[in-house]
Amino acid sequence: MANQGDCFHAVREHRPARAPIPGKRNIMVTSALPYVNNVPHLGNIIGCVLSADVYARYCRRRGYNVIYMCGTDEYGTATETRAMEEGLTPREICDKYHAIHRDIYEWFDIDFDKFGRTSTPQQTEIAQAIFMSLYEKKRLNENTMIQPYCTTCNRFLADRLVEGTCPTPGCGYEDARGDQCDLCGKLLNADDLINPRCKVCGNTPEKRPTDHLFLDLPGLNDQLQSYINNTSKRGGWSSNSIQQTNAWIRDGLKERCITRDLKWGVPVPLEKYKHKVFYVWFDAPIGYISITANYSPEWEKWWKSPEDVELVQFMGKDNVPFHTVIFPSTLLGTEEPWTLMKTISVTEYLNYESGKFSKSRGVGVFGNDVKSTNIPVEVWRYYLLTNRPEVSDTLFTWVDLQAKQNNELLKNLGNFVHRTLSFLAKPLGEGGFGKVVPEVGNPEEHELTRNLAIKVKSTVDEYIKSMEAVKLKGGLKAAMQVSSLGNQYLQDSQFWKLYKEDKPSCAIVLKTSVGLVHLLATLLEPFMPSFSHKVLAQLNLPVSTLSLVEENDELERAYKPWMLVQSGHSIGSPEPIFAEMKDDEMEGYRQKFAGSQADRAAALQSATEALSVSNSSTVAPEKNTKGKKGGNAATGKKIPAVAKDLPLDVSRLDIRVGLITDVKKHPDADSLYVEQIDVGESTPRTVVSGLVKFIPIEQMQNRKVCVLCNLKPAAMRGIKSQAMVLAASNADHTVVELVTPPEGAAVGERVTFPGYTGEPDDVLNPKKKIWESVQPDLHTGSDLVAQYKDVPFTTSSGICRVQTIANGGIK
């Protein structure tokens, strides 16, 4: 267990499907359904599923009747878009990412009662039933919207399918979406974009009218206000959730469109709208109900027991209005007795190092990244939860992770547990108790122990108070305080001296300390279940002993830790649980996950592979220069001949990130451009390209391109070209687009290909036809990623792409 990189995980409990129990505290926990078009980053995980898991585990320890329901949100524009990018159907993309999400949450020890998905027959049945109830009660209105329409794709474009330049002053990001700019974070409408274009084909959309259905929020205002006023106080809503809600209703509620011109989603059950689907913020919250329905045939007793069931929801602040306004209004409008949300726990943003976590731009550490580290799951959970942004934004840094692991987990918690159990485990003749919990007198007559019990009771009460109020950071702080009390207790008692001088007192101290170890396993199980299971293994006790139930005096025993583990009980074999994190290890992680990973993530390249390859360097193969002459056009250096045994693959090519600093038309050829391109050398290279009829000259200016730098220079209409700009073309060569590096790629850096290492030739030997042999395997994928065979063009900032040409050749 001392191995920092072990894969120990908590054992999952088997809990049968069950209904609410009248007279008992019944709690239904949900967290924001993770959207299934991407891999979740740590900011998503802490704000939603991890926080909900902690609370649900706490409720189980308290003996409440609790279920935790979650699943992947699978309908909507982003799913269609992602499927398009990866060359899959929406169903295939959902199957793929549902499995990825499920595996990540399993690794994080998230203990759902049910982790389902929204693209099920139950979802369609329930969403359509709620829709028809609203329709029949006149809660849905028809209206006409003006939306962008692509005449090339013959479809209306949802906001995410429109891209253009961000209109926000000082931003100007050229790839902003019609719903949000990923650079500055501002929420947008498609009409706001400058120079809008269709994400699929790149053409400028026109505006056309289309009929849609709207939820009549103004007509539900009184019912909603009554619900908010009563429930926000009774449920102890967090201040940030109240602020977000009030911001939506302060200026008066407006009708909310609930339909979209999409194919992937729940069909609208009306003949006129049969080609439309429900908008994600109408059907997604209903996903909770459908997932529960798929979990148990008695699902209605949870969702239609408002007097018996408390619904507690966890999410990030950007989801709040949809769960405090849209979803309650939807259910209230049916006039049926639905269980409405009582308590909402909302987090602010967890930022990463010097910027924000971002799924779309790939900034930060993602769920699948953590599995590639040597850091155990309990350490990840502890650090994220101590950093939980409950009131304001917090910051993830590798240095802080190291400090909390080494100082709080290793030196405080781990030290107390191991110090106690290792002393107890020593043989009787060697200063210990031979693994057996000793018999003791009356601990309450031992002053030091009596004073400890007073402090422990106060700390456990604070823990319960915080957890009941869903103040998870406060609960974790209180739990760790028990460890600090234990360390101080051991130190003050000088138990090593007591063993020789006052063995009965030493027995009291050891039995009490063993009880504190068990209490810590109980208090910390919601936060670090794998830690608690390791402790239980060392204590030789079952999970069922972890209880804070008030019945049968179980909570009372927590106040008197010497009562928690019986005298005569034999423990297991103690081992250190935590290991020290070294500076070089943390620096390695910091570098490994630095910068943007968006393009790499889109191509499903692991962070480890892409960054390690792009940052690695290998010793250049020895080259035979005997009897060879020649020079490099840019440097004037002699050109060594290429060794005969080098592989004939893309590693022989010197492809670099270049910046076009100047471009003009060739004076003697109408179809040619003459460019000056900075490729990281002392002077720009002159490059002649036949791109005039494909790419306007203004689109060539000041843009980054991929440049093949080791072709033999060749004169083209009297001007010597010293490199070649790489471009993709479609099958009939009627469309040509430049291969574009990511925005953050450094000018002059070499484009690499994971799995193909080695230094490039100084100049490709035209007689050996190296370029001619490699070029047929250069192409774009269905996801628009530039590739050699199936490996992407990779830079330190991500991968290289084209705009619209899928499965085209590159040369």
Side-chain angles (χ1 to χ4, degrees), residues 293-354:
N294 203 26
Y295 165 65
S296 166
E298 296 188 297
W299 67 274
E300 279 190 322
K301 295 180 181 178
W302 284 97
W303 280 102
K304 292 198 173 180
S305 298
E307 301 303 321
D308 293 327
V309 174
E310 300 174 38
L311 174 56
V312 182
Q313 297 192 306
F314 292 80
M315 65 197 65
K317 65 180 180 181
D318 51 340
N319 283 333
V320 168
F322 304 103
H323 291 266
T324 60
V325 176
I326 302 296
F327 191 31
S329 296
T330 300
L331 298 182
L332 288 168
T334 67
E335 301 176 17
E336 297 173 22
W338 292 101
T339 300
L340 299 178
M341 182 264 291
K342 175 186 176 184
T343 301
I344 182 171
S345 179
V346 176
T347 55
E348 301 292 315
Y349 293 126
L350 175 68
N351 295 324
Y352 179 71
E353 294 280 341
S354 59

Side-chain angles (χ1 to χ4, degrees), residues 65-305:
N65 186 30
V66 58
I67 61 171
Y68 176 19
M69 316 302 297
C70 194
T72 45
D73 178 9
E74 302 191 353
Y75 287 136
T77 311
T79 301
E80 281 195 9
T81 304
R82 187 68 173 189
M84 208 180 305
E85 292 172 350
E86 295 195 21
L88 301 173
T89 65
R91 168 60 65 189
E92 289 171 337
I93 208 76
C94 290
D95 290 345
K96 170 183 174 179
Y97 282 103
H98 175 80
I100 291 173
H101 278 256
R102 182 195 61 220
D103 291 346
I104 289 171
Y105 303 141
E106 284 184 359
W107 191 90
F108 267 97
D109 283 336
I110 309 298
D111 193 7
F112 305 107
D113 283 272
K114 175 68 178 179
F115 184 71
R117 50 200 305 187
T118 60
S119 59
T120 64
Q122 288 85 0
Q123 174 77 1
T124 298
E125 178 184 349
I126 293 167
Q128 289 183 339
I130 291 175
F131 173 92
M132 290 306 300
S133 179
L134 292 169
Y135 184 76
E136 290 165 1
K137 291 178 173 58
K138 310 298 183 184
R139 296 301 188 184
L140 299 179
N141 298 327
E142 186 177 52
N143 212 328
T144 301
M145 298 176 66
I146 303 299
Q147 286 186 236
Y149 184 88
C150 180
T151 56
T152 303
C153 299
N154 294 318
R155 63 183 295 184
F156 284 99
L157 301 179
D159 291 343
R160 283 176 175 262
L161 289 178
V162 185
E163 294 182 334
T165 302
C166 178
T168 306
C171 180
Y173 183 51
E174 294 183 356
D175 293 319
R177 300 194 312 264
D179 60 344
Q180 185 174 6
C181 175
D182 285 329
L183 187 62
C184 69
K186 184 176 177 61
L187 296 178
L188 302 171
N189 293 313
D191 287 344
D192 299 332
L193 295 175
I194 300 170
N195 299 322
R197 62 183 182 275
C198 172
K199 180 180 178 66
V200 179
C201 68
N203 288 339
T204 302
E206 62 181 41
K207 296 180 181 179
R208 289 189 182 182
T210 177
D211 291 339
H212 282 285
L213 290 165
F214 293 71
L215 179 64
D216 183 16
L217 290 178
L220 292 163
N221 180 73
D222 292 345
Q223 296 177 57
L224 179 66
Q225 287 280 10
S226 176
Y227 160 74
I228 292 173
N229 293 339
N230 293 330
T231 310
S232 61
K233 296 175 183 177
R234 185 169 56 92
W237 289 12
S238 57
S239 59
N240 47 8
S241 64
I242 294 175
Q243 291 169 1
Q244 289 281 318
T245 303
N246 289 340
W248 259 56
I249 62 179
R250 184 181 300 115
D251 299 325
L253 292 172
K254 299 177 178 61
E255 292 186 342
R256 185 79 179 181
C257 183
I258 64 168
T259 55
R260 286 292 186 271
D261 291 291
L262 297 172
K263 297 178 180 178
W264 179 244
V266 177
V268 177
L270 295 174
E271 181 63 25
K272 178 179 177 179
Y273 295 95
K274 65 182 180 180
H275 298 301
K276 298 180 188 290
V277 301
F278 296 143
Y279 179 47
V280 65
W281 282 116
F282 176 84
D283 80 285
I286 296 170
Y288 296 117
I289 303 173
S290 70
I291 289 167
T292 313
N294 203 26
Y295 165 65
S296 166
E298 296 188 297
W299 67 274
E300 279 190 322
K301 295 180 181 178
W302 284 97
W303 280 102
K304 292 198 173 180
S305 298

Side-chain angles (χ1 to χ4, degrees), residues 561-580:
W562 55 83
M563 299 179 63
L564 290 172
V565 182
Q566 296 303 308
S567 296
H569 174 76
S570 294
I571 68 168
S573 298
E575 296 180 30
I577 293 177
F578 301 105
E580 183 181 8

Side-chain angles (χ1 to χ4, degrees), residues 652-787:
R652 305 282 290 274
L653 307 185
D654 182 10
I655 301 176
R656 302 185 211 168
V657 175
L659 176 66
I660 300 175
T661 59
D662 185 57
V663 59
K664 296 181 175 64
K665 286 189 176 181
H666 195 295
D668 298 319
D670 293 339
S671 64
L672 301 178
Y673 285 128
V674 179
E675 305 118 18
Q676 299 298 313
I677 304 181
D678 180 359
V679 291
E681 298 168 341
S682 58
T683 57
R685 293 200 184 195
T686 299
V687 179
V688 180
S689 305
L691 298 172
V692 170
K693 66 178 182 179
F694 300 108
I695 302 174
I697 193 168
E698 60 271 14
Q699 293 183 18
M700 296 286 291
Q701 301 278 6
N702 297 313
R703 68 176 295 171
K704 288 180 181 177
V705 289
C706 289
V707 184
L708 179 61
C709 293
N710 59 344
L711 278 178
K712 185 177 180 179
M716 299 180 70
R717 293 291 184 95
I719 297 178
K720 184 173 286 188
S721 182
Q722 297 174 322
M724 183 170 73
V725 176
L726 296 183
S729 62
N730 61 356
D732 58 5
H733 304 291
T734 56
V735 180
V736 175
E737 296 175 351
L738 294 172
V739 177
T740 304
E743 186 176 353
V747 173
E749 76 165 287
R750 186 184 175 197
V751 176
T752 58
F753 299 82
Y756 295 90
T757 59
E759 290 296 308
D761 297 5
D762 284 339
V763 172
L764 298 176
N765 189 331
K767 293 182 180 180
K768 294 183 179 289
K769 297 190 179 298
I770 297 170
W771 166 245
E772 289 80 1
S773 299
V774 174
Q775 186 275 324
D777 288 320
L778 300 176
H779 64 94
T780 61
S782 57
D783 54 2
L784 308 182
V785 173
Q787 303 175 24

Side-chain angles (χ1 to χ4, degrees), residues 434-445:
K435 292 187 176 181
V436 178
V437 179
E439 296 286 345
V440 300
N442 188 352
E444 294 185 79
E445 293 180 359

Side-chain angles (χ1 to χ4, degrees), residues 591 607-620 749-760 794-796:
Q591 293 183 9
T608 303
E609 180 184 48
L611 287 178
S612 64
V613 171
S614 63
N615 291 333
S616 68
S617 60
T618 54
V619 178
E749 76 165 287
R750 186 184 175 197
V751 176
T752 58
F753 299 82
Y756 295 90
T757 59
E759 290 296 308
T794 305
T795 74
S796 60

